[in-house]
Amino acid sequence: MILMVWLAAVAASLLALAWAFRFYRQMMEADEGTELMKEIATHVREGADAYLSQQNRLVTITFLVLAVLLGIASYYLHLLNGFVPIAFLTGGLFSGLCGWFGMKTATQASSRTAAAARVSLNQGLQVAFRSGAVMGLTVVGMGLLYVTIWFAILYWAWPALMGAERAYSLEQISVAMLSFGMGASAQALFARVGGGIFTKAADVGADLVGKVEESMNEDSPNNPATIADNVGDNVGDVAGMGADLYESYCGSILAAAALGVAAFAAPQMVPEGMEGTEAQLATMMLPLAIAAAGIIASIIGIYAVRTGEDASQKSLLKALSRGINLAAVLMILMAMGLVYWLMPLVPGTEYFGGLSGVAFSVIVGLAAGWLIGKWTEYVTSDEYKPTQRLAKQAETGPATIIIGGIADGMMSVWVPVIVVCVAMTASFGFATGGQFGDISLFSLGLYGVGIAAVGMLSTLGITLATDAYGPIADNAGGNAEMARLEETVRARTDALDSLGNTTAATGKGFAIGSAALTALALLAAYVEGVRDGFERWGVAAVQTIDTDGFYKLSPGFMVHRDGDNATGYLVQPMIARDPLLTESWRDVSFSDGPAKLSEGVIAAGENGQFHFAVNGDALLPVASATLQEFTYFYDTTLMNPKVLIGLFLGAMATFVFCAMTMKAVGNAAEKMVVEVRRQLTENPKIKTGEAKPDYKRPIQISTSEAQRQMLMPSLLGLALPVFVGLLLGVGGVLGLLAGCLTSGFCVAIFMANAGGSWDNAKKYYESGHLGGKGSPGHKAAVVGDTVGDPFKDTSGPSLNILIKLMSMVSVVVAGLVVRYSLHSLGLF
Amino acid sequence: MILMVWLAAVAASLLALAWAFRFYRQMMEADEGTELMKEIATHVREGADAYLSQQNRLVTITFLVLAVLLGIASYYLHLLNGFVPIAFLTGGLFSGLCGWFGMKTATQASSRTAAAARVSLNQGLQVAFRSGAVMGLTVVGMGLLYVTIWFAILYWAWPALMGAERAYSLEQISVAMLSFGMGASAQALFARVGGGIFTKAADVGADLVGKVEESMNEDSPNNPATIADNVGDNVGDVAGMGADLYESYCGSILAAAALGVAAFAAPQMVPEGMEGTEAQLATMMLPLAIAAAGIIASIIGIYAVRTGEDASQKSLLKALSRGINLAAVLMILMAMGLVYWLMPLVPGTEYFGGLSGVAFSVIVGLAAGWLIGKWTEYVTSDEYKPTQRLAKQAETGPATIIIGGIADGMMSVWVPVIVVCVAMTASFGFATGGQFGDISLFSLGLYGVGIAAVGMLSTLGITLATDAYGPIADNAGGNAEMARLEETVRARTDALDSLGNTTAATGKGFAIGSAALTALALLAAYVEGVRDGFERWGVAAVQTIDTDGFYKLSPGFMVHRDGDNATGYLVQPMIARDPLLTESWRDVSFSDGPAKLSEGVIAAGENGQFHFAVNGDALLPVASATLQEFTYFYDTTLMNPKVLIGLFLGAMATFVFCAMTMKAVGNAAEKMVVEVRRQLTENPKIKTGEAKPDYKRPIQISTSEAQRQMLMPSLLGLALPVFVGLLLGVGGVLGLLAGCLTSGFCVAIFMANAGGSWDNAKKYYESGHLGGKGSPGHKAAVVGDTVGDPFKDTSGPSLNILIKLMSMVSVVVAGLVVRYSLHSLGLF
């Protein structure tokens, strides 16, 4: 069965890649337009290539440094699975490749979309949307392929090569694979932050001088920063988004798989007539199976996006929605079947006499993503009241539209928060059959949350396509403008662009909602990383020991050496506090390495369990400790000052990260403004089109600024969990992650929605409302849009990744924190 | 000893009030200036009076409704101490009185300050600062008096009247007194939000039409909204701040007292040779003693603020700093002595052979407040790089200064967060003698945190004076401008105002830092409220029972009726899960009221403790359950979905609250803009001063808008803890409070600092830098200032109160939540 699912997943991922290639070829065969159009597209392509190769150089160096650090941790300190450094690099590579393929496609597609739009709106849509689908299918194909390959290496290849006795346990495999996600997250953060700075510096620079000071049109070829602006759309919105969603997709699958293994670790959970590992393998495979089914659903959905040649914009929107909805319905049906087939049935959690409630968790996930998307559309689209009201506020000047946009953005947080909370409760509740109070089902409930995230992202193939085609249409518009094509072409690409904005809102809803649920799942998965860390510590410790016995390694941890076996045991703080254990346990010093406990301190019970002889208190084996027992061990309650400090630091990290990225955009934009002004002053003929501006220099400025400024925020995400872990231990890290998740989620939505609403309020003027283009209100709205640019395209979307990167880093360094935090050293 | 401390506290509070009256009389005796000055001051005074009486009418109605609800909870449902409704009303009254006295003084002081400034800068400072001191001393005097009176009523008067057998335990007294803080918090929120909306609507309206559209001067008498603007300074910055800090001051004392009682509830904590209640009374009195000492230190400090007649601005600043620093040093010395005298010495927590570490917690608190204040000054004052750089960003237009200010504000969060985290750790660590791991000292550590908050606010008498004189100087400037006094007078009041801005930063640092520490202490105090709720439940339940025995009331709670005694016992979930208890405990239905357990289910041990007979697991008496045991009972770990949902909702509440208050300002400002434009269009002679504008109508608009819009945000703070409590139980509430605290703290600092920096960036231009007044940069800076207005004067400062109000409400409704939450009903 496992092999079957695995093969199906591999087949689905290859299918996705094959279809992506097919759509790519179709797009390449389309008419590329006039010579001028080709030339402009080449400019943009070269700029984007130049940026990406520059970024890749920097990222490669950073990755190599990090891989060396991970290598030391793996091979020298034995804190990590030996595959982690390699997988970290491959994770980053795959993620980068997704962005690169997407960008390649997008830069080829823009002139072709413009050319197709000369024929009809539908032709334009087909080229743009299919090109977006290349990205969508590449991301899911590569993501699923990556996960399946690593599973095969760890589960089949490794024991086949090294002998069955060195086989990894499923727990080890799932935790190791989870830590592989760190590479993808780090790459995604670099891509999002770097791309975000690039695109917004170019955009703000182009707008402030070109549009505001010189009253040029959007995408005017006389604006020296125009090409940079178009390059920015590709490196930020396309390449950055590709890496971002690759990370989300893999992260959700890996987190759910790890939680599935954890849920069935306790023998009493395993249904009768089943082996424990059998149940674990099944729950580990379920997310892969759902992802595979999602690929099929997405491809079918993509084909449903078609209309007649003379289609109106409205019918195009319908066509897009039809595709997404069809994929979702198919997904729900397939998910029911897959859950029925794969999911081990725990008594009390079945519905309709045999279907595990986990099936409904998938539906909850899909519904939650859809709801957040609709809400995003409502609060940001200029077809609805909120943005129209905001646009009206611009009439009293820039100050009022800024205040209004910030207030609207902050207010818009409530629906997504409620949806995520309800989705969390519902997916948890369905998975446990509504038995919220039954602690033995707790891990199963968390698995339900993880599966909900997988469900939400399962149709990413098509939702990402609707998201990614927006920048393509945007660039097509730029191409049409610069190539001085007929007005109707520009009108059509604008229609496509605005259509893209609407559907992109749904896509963003899925991305942001899944980030919250995945981060929640990762919070639980982190505890699995902690367990793995303890086990490695035990194994490492017994290698320095010659005689059998019990050895104290820290105030709450001992290892039992029994020949070649090392078994770790936790001593809960409330047990360690017993005055009877003062001499035999608490006062035993471990500062010179593992300290052997005196004979007779530990006794074996009838059931083979060990306990303290003096008072009969049982030792807690690390391998079977529940999630809750770990939370008690580290006292991760809200009353623990370490947890509270962690929460504070997590909230702080959100704000500091946003500040860093916004400042980066501000600094880069300032240099861009200076450069554009310089060109226009030194050669005023550029303004009239008599002389050609130097397009390259603005691209260079954006590139070098983006590179210089993206390092610090990314390092914040990488370093903070390590520092907090070493200073405050596991409790502090959990606080940090929870704080960053809750604050970060709210800030991300606030920024995305405020930015989106300002953008559309400006467009509302530009489509002729309230005095139209050039009115004082429009000028104020442009200020709002400029403020919103870094909100919605740099800081906001990067926050999603920051949250998950911190979780991933925490999982990876769990072994370090378990062993060397001040808490483990008995200092704090 | 207790009586001595109590008398000293009463004496100190009366001293403060007497001195406040003295300063008031001195101020009233000062020269009031010309007839025109008097007339203008009268306008402002009448406007402020009109607003406050309008607000008081609404607040009174709201308070009466809430008091009726509390009355039902107290007298009918027996969920609360019977004094709560009365104390709720008196708390609101005292808080309101503080604001009212402060405002009375301020409105009388402005023209007198202007008159004094005609003589010299020092004369102006003396009048303004002494008037600020009236407010500072009134707040601390009323606050301490309120606390001491209620202590006397509950501790001495009640048993004297009703007989010793009905005396309250110290736990009950401390929890009841804590819930009295709710009245103060609710009043403070109304005052801050209402006043904040009023003042910013008037300010934004006056600026947008008068300054931007008509290029009038600040405070020009030709601007119809000028008087409203000046009224706003009084009702927002003075009355609002007074109520706010009264709440902070009382809250910190009450929270520390409650934690002190809790810390010495466990018999093993009480030092040898001491009674348990003796130790508890001592720790309860210590915060009162520190507050009393702080009053003395403040009065001495106030007298240290004096310079020669020909003083420069620099020497004035020195004089102010000298006063604050002197008060702090005196405070530290007195705190050492008081701790040495009062604090019970727990072995292992003493320093220098006999001084409890709690003494250093006081110092930590003072130092933390000072540091946050200095940082606030650094990031907001135009004498330092950050604000100067921000001002420069205005040269590229409003968008860049807005992005820059938001980024700077977000970045500025890091220092206060680190300071609060370090202060929390240090005050906890000093109190426990560095034994972080020793769980028995946990409550003592939290007491240290509570005491740090008291220490931070102990010198409020003088720090508030430096804060409150700012608006007085501001109004004096307005008075001078409108009365067309000589340029030098305006220059002097401007100097005083800018001096006030600098020292006010320190004051705000104390307010915001203490809010965080107090909220932390309240988090722990909430658990005491929960304990009280269980005990009341037990007592109420046995009144419906006729026979002795053990009765199950909820899945985890039973009460033992033994004659007239009712003792509550918790059954920890991990014990209840034992399969041996299925029939005898878990399956016992309590849906028809208290269900008697079968005879023999509970057995008494040798030590008099009860346990389940079948497995020997002990029952946990509610009265002696530790904080940690409660957190286990409710599983308030970060892995509990209810806690996580609470965290999400807490973060959400922060954003929604800010959105509501900002929208309120926006809406009110819009109406103001329309009105001012109307007056100027209908009678253009107003512009030239030939006709007098109608000052009353703008005041009416601000008043009615403020009233209409302040209800919703305040209700959010009042209702959310109740809903979350009923739906998600105690774990959810703790999550809500922690989420609101961490997000709210960050957002509050972000908003306050961004707003402050924008304000001063504008002033930087106005003092002639970077092209000076009227330059394009200045115009952009005005936009920044306008955006910052609701940030720093409405939403930001209200957040501090929201955090504490939610905590207070949670404490008050703890009894309701304990008994009727879905968790207690066994449903969720």
Side-chain angles (χ1 to χ4, degrees):
Chain A
M1 182 183 72
I2 299 313
L3 189 62
M4 219 158 94
V5 177
W6 184 83
L7 285 173
V10 172
S13 62
L14 293 176
L15 191 73
L17 293 175
W19 241 273
F21 185 64
R22 202 184 140 151
F23 287 147
Y24 179 74
R25 269 219 334 246
Q26 281 180 3
M27 182 272 292
M28 289 301 281
E29 281 163 10
D31 173 27
E32 212 184 339
T34 66
E35 279 309 308
L36 186 55
M37 288 166 76
K38 278 188 211 166
E39 189 199 319
I40 293 160
T42 310
H43 276 309
V44 173
R45 193 153 53 238
E46 282 172 4
D49 276 347
Y51 171 75
L52 263 207
S53 54
Q54 176 73 24
Q55 165 158 311
N56 285 340
R57 221 167 302 147
L58 182 72
V59 170
T60 306
I61 295 169
T62 319
F63 263 69
L64 287 177
V65 172
L66 290 173
V68 168
L69 291 177
L70 289 174
I72 293 171
S74 297
Y75 307 124
Y76 181 67
L77 297 172
H78 303 288
L79 294 168
L80 295 172
N81 185 306
F83 281 109
V84 170
I86 306 160
F88 172 73
L89 291 175
T90 53
L93 179 69
F94 268 60
S95 166
L97 280 178
C98 282
W100 188 76
F101 283 139
M103 200 205 66
K104 269 279 166 221
T105 313
T107 51
Q108 295 285 0
S110 58
S111 63
R112 292 176 169 84
T113 302
R118 296 172 79 177
V119 183
S120 77
L121 192 55
N122 181 45
Q123 288 284 333
L125 175 72
Q126 287 300 331
V127 174
F129 181 69
R130 291 281 163 97
S131 308
V134 173
M135 165 94 128
L137 292 173
T138 307
V139 165
V140 294
M142 301 269 283
L144 194 53
L145 192 63
Y146 178 77
V147 173
T148 45
I149 289 177
W150 273 108
F151 178 79
I153 292 176
L154 294 174
Y155 186 70
W156 287 306
W158 176 258
L161 283 172
M162 309 296 289
E165 73 285 358
R166 293 195 57 185
Y168 294 122
S169 71
L170 286 175
E171 281 88 350
Q172 287 175 323
I173 292 178
S174 66
V175 169
M177 284 178 64
L178 196 58
S179 60
F180 301 167
M182 181 180 151
S185 292
Q187 170 73 264
L189 194 63
F190 281 120
R192 258 295 188 204
V193 173
I197 296 171
F198 185 112
T199 180
K200 288 306 126 181
D203 193 3
V204 172
D207 282 3
L208 279 185
V209 185
K211 277 168 86 173
V212 177
E213 293 181 5
E214 306 285 344
S215 301
M216 294 177 183
N217 273 340
E218 175 91 36
D219 294 318
S220 160
N222 302 341
N223 191 334
T226 290
I227 297 277
D229 188 8
N230 278 283
V231 170
D233 289 342
N234 288 296
V235 301
D237 298 350
V238 179
M241 183 163 56
D244 178 353
L245 283 160
Y246 174 83
E247 181 264 358
S248 301
Y249 188 73
C250 292
S252 71
I253 295 175
L254 294 171
L259 291 179
V261 172
F264 287 90
Q268 68 271 21
M269 285 291 291
V270 181
E272 269 179 66
M274 226 180 179
E275 290 273 329
T277 51
E278 207 182 323
Q280 287 179 309
L281 271 174
T283 47
M284 211 175 163
M285 283 294 146
L286 182 57
L288 273 72
I290 293 175
I295 289 178
I296 316 282
S298 297
I299 294 178
I300 299 176
I302 289 169
Y303 274 98
V305 180
R306 51 169 76 230
T307 51
E309 272 314 290
D310 51 351
S312 68
Q313 192 175 353
K314 207 163 184 179
S315 65
L316 285 183
L317 183 60
K318 249 193 198 151
L320 280 177
S321 301
R322 191 167 55 231
I324 293 179
N325 294 342
L326 177 65
V329 170
L330 285 176
M331 189 58 235
I332 289 173
L333 295 176
M334 287 193 276
M336 298 261 208
L338 288 170
V339 169
Y340 186 78
W341 178 42
L342 285 170
M343 186 71 200
L345 256 193
V346 176
T349 67
E350 70 274 45
Y351 291 78
F352 307 129
L355 183 62
S356 165
V358 167
F360 301 102
S361 301
V362 180
I363 302 177
V364 166
L366 273 167
W370 186 85
L371 273 173
I372 297 178
K374 282 289 150 196
W375 174 252
T376 311
E377 193 185 324
Y378 173 71
V379 292
T380 59
S381 161
D382 61 6
E383 302 206 353
Y384 298 97
K385 280 258 168 289
T387 299
Q388 291 172 1
R389 267 199 304 261
L390 184 67
K392 202 154 166 45
Q393 280 176 280
E395 291 182 333
T396 35
T400 37
I401 189 173
I402 299 281
I403 295 179
I406 291 176
D408 281 349
M410 285 186 159
M411 187 60 103
S412 74
V413 162
W414 76 274
V415 167
V417 168
I418 303 274
V419 168
V420 163
C421 289
V422 170
M424 186 161 96
T425 313
S427 55
F428 187 99
F430 278 123
T432 60
Q435 299 162 75
F436 288 96
D438 190 338
I439 292 178
S440 61
L441 295 175
F442 197 80
S443 300
L444 188 60
L446 289 172
Y447 180 63
V449 176
I451 284 288
V454 175
M456 203 184 266
L457 286 179
S458 57
T459 55
L460 188 68
I462 184 163
T463 50
L464 182 54
T466 62
D467 206 352
Y469 101 94
I472 295 174
D474 192 358
N475 255 268
N479 192 290
E481 183 82 28
M482 284 184 278
R484 304 200 158 87
L485 296 186
E486 316 83 270
E487 277 291 307
T488 50
V489 179
R490 175 81 209 200
R492 281 182 191 146
T493 57
D494 276 356
L496 283 179
D497 188 11
S498 112
L499 196 62
N501 279 341
T502 310
T503 50
T506 319
K508 277 181 191 153
F510 279 84
I512 213 159
S514 75
L517 291 185
T518 303
L520 272 171
L522 284 173
L523 213 59
Y526 172 58
V527 177
E528 294 308 311
V530 169
R531 186 203 305 277
D532 187 57
F534 272 116
E535 287 180 342
R536 283 175 190 284
W537 189 3
V539 171
V542 294
Q543 287 170 353
T544 66
I545 297 169
D546 296 327
T547 49
D548 282 1
F550 288 87
Y551 292 84
K552 180 174 176 179
L553 299 182
S554 86
F557 181 56
M558 72 173 86
V559 64
H560 180 209
R561 182 186 191 276
D562 182 16
D564 281 346
N565 290 326
T567 321
Y569 292 95
L570 299 179
V571 181
Q572 290 282 20
M574 48 187 128
I575 289 175
R577 240 180 300 156
D578 190 331
L580 289 171
L581 296 180
T582 309
E583 206 182 319
S584 57
W585 172 255
R586 254 206 333 279
D587 286 355
V588 176
S589 164
F590 55 92
S591 52
D592 302 329
K596 195 164 194 285
L597 300 185
S598 312
E599 291 297 327
V601 167
I602 306 293
E606 286 170 23
N607 46 11
Q609 286 181 353
F610 291 103
H611 55 80
F612 282 108
V614 277
N615 61 3
D617 280 337
L619 304 186
L620 179 61
V622 167
S624 66
T626 64
L627 216 134
Q628 209 142 22
E629 281 161 340
F630 273 108
T631 59
Y632 288 156
F633 182 75
Y634 282 109
D635 186 28
T636 62
T637 64
L638 288 179
M639 284 297 134
N640 184 344
K642 290 176 199 168
V643 174
L644 275 169
I645 292 178
L647 280 173
F648 265 114
L649 294 177
M652 181 197 85
T654 306
F655 285 84
V656 169
F657 178 84
C658 286
M660 283 177 167
T661 46
M662 288 179 70
K663 271 172 183 285
V665 171
N667 294 341
E670 222 175 288
K671 298 214 170 138
M672 187 67 77
V673 166
V674 172
E675 165 65 18
V676 176
R677 279 190 190 150
R678 183 193 65 80
Q679 289 202 25
L680 297 182
T681 339
E682 289 183 3
N683 189 354
K685 285 186 183 162
I686 293 177
K687 294 185 205 172
T688 54
E690 291 165 80
K692 249 183 128 177
D694 175 7
Y695 295 132
K696 287 236 168 95
R697 187 83 197 104
I699 295 177
Q700 281 164 7
I701 289 174
S702 256
T703 303
S704 66
E705 282 298 301
Q707 299 311 308
R708 225 163 48 82
Q709 313 244 13
M710 80 181 187
L711 264 181
M712 279 308 293
S714 308
L715 284 182
L716 176 79
L718 288 165
L720 195 59
V722 182
F723 281 115
V724 170
L726 291 177
L727 281 177
L728 301 173
V730 170
V733 172
L734 280 171
L736 176 76
L737 299 181
C740 185
L741 166 60
T742 48
S743 293
F745 184 70
C746 290
V747 174
I749 291 175
F750 149 52
M751 294 196 125
N753 288 353
S757 194
W758 277 320
D759 188 359
N760 286 323
K762 183 199 67 175
K763 292 204 171 127
Y764 191 66
Y765 277 95
E766 291 177 354
S767 59
H769 297 91
L770 299 172
K773 231 170 165 170
S775 65
H778 178 242
K779 284 205 174 121
V782 170
V783 173
D785 180 39
T786 311
V787 172
D789 271 341
F791 271 49
K792 72 177 199 301
D793 291 324
T794 313
S795 304
S798 308
L799 271 178
N800 289 336
I801 311 175
L802 177 76
I803 296 169
K804 281 175 285 174
L805 177 63
M806 284 213 196
S807 311
M808 294 284 188
V809 172
S810 301
V811 173
V812 170
V813 301
L816 181 78
V817 168
V818 161
R819 222 181 291 181
Y820 297 111
S821 74
L822 294 182
H823 177 270
S824 311
L825 301 174
L827 293 173
F828 182 48
Chain B
M1 184 183 71
I2 299 313
L3 189 64
M4 220 157 96
V5 177
W6 184 83
L7 285 173
V10 173
S13 62
L14 293 176
L15 191 73
L17 292 176
W19 239 271
F21 185 64
R22 202 184 140 152
F23 288 147
Y24 179 74
R25 270 219 332 248
Q26 281 179 4
M27 182 271 293
M28 289 301 282
E29 281 163 12
D31 172 29
E32 213 185 338
T34 66
E35 279 310 308
L36 185 57
M37 287 166 76
K38 278 189 213 166
E39 189 200 318
I40 293 161
T42 311
H43 277 308
V44 174
R45 193 153 53 239
E46 282 172 4
D49 276 346
Y51 172 75
L52 263 206
S53 54
Q54 175 72 24
Q55 165 159 309
N56 285 339
R57 222 168 301 147
L58 183 73
V59 170
T60 306
I61 294 168
T62 318
F63 263 69
L64 286 177
V65 171
L66 290 173
V68 168
L69 290 177
L70 289 174
I72 293 171
S74 297
Y75 308 124
Y76 180 67
L77 297 172
H78 303 287
L79 295 168
L80 295 172
N81 185 305
F83 281 109
V84 169
I86 306 159
F88 171 72
L89 291 175
T90 53
L93 179 71
F94 268 60
S95 168
L97 279 178
C98 282
W100 189 76
F101 284 138
M103 199 205 67
K104 270 278 167 223
T105 313
T107 51
Q108 294 286 2
S110 59
S111 62
R112 290 175 171 84
T113 302
R118 297 172 80 178
V119 183
S120 75
L121 191 56
N122 181 47
Q123 289 284 331
L125 175 72
Q126 288 299 332
V127 174
F129 181 69
R130 292 281 163 94
S131 309
V134 173
M135 164 91 131
L137 291 172
T138 307
V139 165
V140 295
M142 302 268 284
L144 193 54
L145 192 64
Y146 178 76
V147 173
T148 46
I149 289 178
W150 272 107
F151 178 79
I153 292 175
L154 293 174
Y155 187 70
W156 286 307
W158 175 257
L161 284 172
M162 310 296 289
E165 74 284 359
R166 293 196 56 186
Y168 293 124
S169 71
L170 286 175
E171 281 89 350
Q172 287 176 324
I173 292 179
S174 66
V175 168
M177 285 179 63
L178 197 57
S179 60
F180 301 166
M182 182 181 150
S185 292
Q187 170 73 264
L189 193 63
F190 281 121
R192 258 294 187 204
V193 173
I197 296 171
F198 185 111
T199 178
K200 289 305 124 182
D203 192 3
V204 172
D207 282 4
L208 279 184
V209 185
K211 277 168 86 174
V212 177
E213 294 180 5
E214 306 286 344
S215 301
M216 295 177 183
N217 272 340
E218 174 91 37
D219 294 317
S220 160
N222 303 341
N223 191 334
T226 290
I227 297 278
D229 189 9
N230 278 282
V231 169
D233 290 342
N234 288 296
V235 300
D237 298 351
V238 179
M241 185 163 55
D244 178 354
L245 284 160
Y246 174 83
E247 181 264 359
S248 301
Y249 189 73
C250 292
S252 71
I253 295 174
L254 294 170
L259 291 180
V261 173
F264 288 90
Q268 67 271 21
M269 284 291 291
V270 181
E272 270 179 66
M274 226 178 179
E275 291 273 330
T277 51
E278 208 182 321
Q280 287 180 309
L281 270 175
T283 46
M284 213 175 162
M285 282 294 145
L286 182 58
L288 273 72
I290 292 175
I295 289 179
I296 316 282
S298 296
I299 294 179
I300 298 176
I302 289 169
Y303 274 98
V305 180
R306 51 170 76 231
T307 50
E309 272 314 290
D310 51 349
S312 68
Q313 190 176 354
K314 206 164 184 178
S315 65
L316 286 183
L317 182 60
K318 249 194 197 149
L320 280 177
S321 299
R322 193 169 52 233
I324 293 179
N325 293 342
L326 176 65
V329 171
L330 285 176
M331 189 58 234
I332 290 173
L333 295 176
M334 287 193 276
M336 298 260 208
L338 288 171
V339 170
Y340 186 78
W341 178 42
L342 284 170
M343 185 71 199
L345 255 193
V346 177
T349 67
E350 70 274 45
Y351 291 79
F352 307 128
L355 182 62
S356 166
V358 166
F360 301 101
S361 301
V362 179
I363 302 178
V364 165
L366 273 167
W370 187 84
L371 273 173
I372 297 177
K374 282 289 149 197
W375 174 253
T376 311
E377 193 186 323
Y378 173 71
V379 293
T380 60
S381 161
D382 61 6
E383 301 205 354
Y384 298 98
K385 280 259 167 285
T387 300
Q388 291 172 0
R389 266 199 305 261
L390 183 67
K392 199 151 169 47
Q393 282 175 279
E395 291 183 334
T396 34
T400 38
I401 191 173
I402 299 281
I403 295 180
I406 291 176
D408 281 349
M410 285 187 159
M411 188 59 101
S412 74
V413 162
W414 77 274
V415 167
V417 167
I418 303 274
V419 168
V420 162
C421 289
V422 171
M424 186 161 98
T425 313
S427 55
F428 188 99
F430 278 123
T432 59
Q435 299 160 76
F436 289 96
D438 190 339
I439 291 176
S440 60
L441 295 175
F442 196 80
S443 299
L444 189 60
L446 289 172
Y447 180 63
V449 177
I451 284 288
V454 175
M456 203 185 268
L457 286 179
S458 57
T459 56
L460 187 68
I462 183 162
T463 49
L464 182 54
T466 61
D467 207 352
Y469 100 94
I472 295 173
D474 192 359
N475 255 267
N479 191 290
E481 183 83 28
M482 283 184 278
R484 302 200 162 86
L485 296 186
E486 316 83 271
E487 277 291 308
T488 50
V489 179
R490 176 80 207 200
R492 282 183 190 143
T493 57
D494 276 356
L496 284 178
D497 188 12
S498 114
L499 195 63
N501 279 342
T502 309
T503 50
T506 319
K508 276 180 191 151
F510 280 84
I512 213 161
S514 75
L517 291 186
T518 303
L520 273 172
L522 284 172
L523 213 59
Y526 172 58
V527 176
E528 295 307 312
V530 169
R531 185 203 306 277
D532 186 57
F534 272 116
E535 287 180 342
R536 284 177 190 283
W537 190 3
V539 170
V542 295
Q543 286 170 354
T544 66
I545 297 170
D546 295 327
T547 49
D548 283 1
F550 288 87
Y551 290 83
K552 180 175 177 179
L553 300 181
S554 86
F557 181 56
M558 69 173 88
V559 64
H560 180 208
R561 182 186 189 276
D562 181 16
D564 281 346
N565 290 326
T567 322
Y569 293 95
L570 300 179
V571 182
Q572 291 282 20
M574 49 189 128
I575 289 175
R577 237 179 303 154
D578 190 333
L580 290 171
L581 297 180
T582 309
E583 205 182 320
S584 57
W585 171 256
R586 251 202 338 277
D587 286 355
V588 176
S589 164
F590 55 93
S591 53
D592 301 328
K596 194 162 195 282
L597 299 186
S598 311
E599 292 295 328
V601 166
I602 307 293
E606 287 171 21
N607 46 11
Q609 287 181 353
F610 290 103
H611 55 80
F612 280 108
V614 276
N615 61 4
D617 279 338
L619 304 186
L620 180 62
V622 167
S624 66
T626 64
L627 216 134
Q628 208 142 24
E629 282 162 341
F630 273 109
T631 59
Y632 288 156
F633 182 74
Y634 281 110
D635 186 30
T636 63
T637 63
L638 288 179
M639 283 297 133
N640 184 343
K642 290 177 198 165
V643 174
L644 275 169
I645 293 178
L647 280 172
F648 265 113
L649 294 176
M652 181 198 83
T654 306
F655 286 84
V656 169
F657 179 84
C658 286
M660 283 176 168
T661 46
M662 289 180 69
K663 271 172 184 286
V665 171
N667 294 342
E670 221 174 290
K671 297 210 172 143
M672 187 65 79
V673 165
V674 171
E675 164 64 20
V676 175
R677 278 189 191 152
R678 183 193 65 78
Q679 288 202 25
L680 297 182
T681 337
E682 288 182 4
N683 189 354
K685 283 187 184 163
I686 294 177
K687 292 186 205 172
T688 54
E690 291 164 77
K692 247 182 130 181
D694 174 7
Y695 294 130
K696 287 234 168 95
R697 186 82 197 107
I699 295 177
Q700 280 163 8
I701 288 175
S702 255
T703 304
S704 67
E705 282 298 302
Q707 298 312 308
R708 225 163 47 82
Q709 313 244 14
M710 81 183 187
L711 265 182
M712 278 308 292
S714 308
L715 284 182
L716 176 79
L718 287 165
L720 196 59
V722 183
F723 281 115
V724 170
L726 291 177
L727 280 177
L728 302 172
V730 170
V733 172
L734 280 172
L736 175 77
L737 298 181
C740 185
L741 167 60
T742 48
S743 293
F745 184 69
C746 289
V747 174
I749 291 175
F750 150 52
M751 294 196 125
N753 289 351
S757 194
W758 276 320
D759 188 359
N760 287 323
K762 182 198 68 175
K763 290 203 173 128
Y764 191 66
Y765 276 95
E766 290 176 354
S767 59
H769 298 90
L770 299 172
K773 233 170 166 169
S775 64
H778 178 242
K779 283 200 176 129
V782 169
V783 173
D785 180 40
T786 312
V787 172
D789 271 341
F791 271 49
K792 72 177 198 300
D793 291 324
T794 313
S795 304
S798 308
L799 271 178
N800 289 335
I801 311 175
L802 177 76
I803 296 169
K804 281 174 287 174
L805 176 64
M806 284 211 192
S807 310
M808 295 284 188
V809 172
S810 301
V811 173
V812 170
V813 301
L816 181 78
V817 168
V818 160
R819 221 180 292 182
Y820 298 111
S821 74
L822 295 182
H823 177 270
S824 312
L825 301 174
L827 293 174
F828 182 44

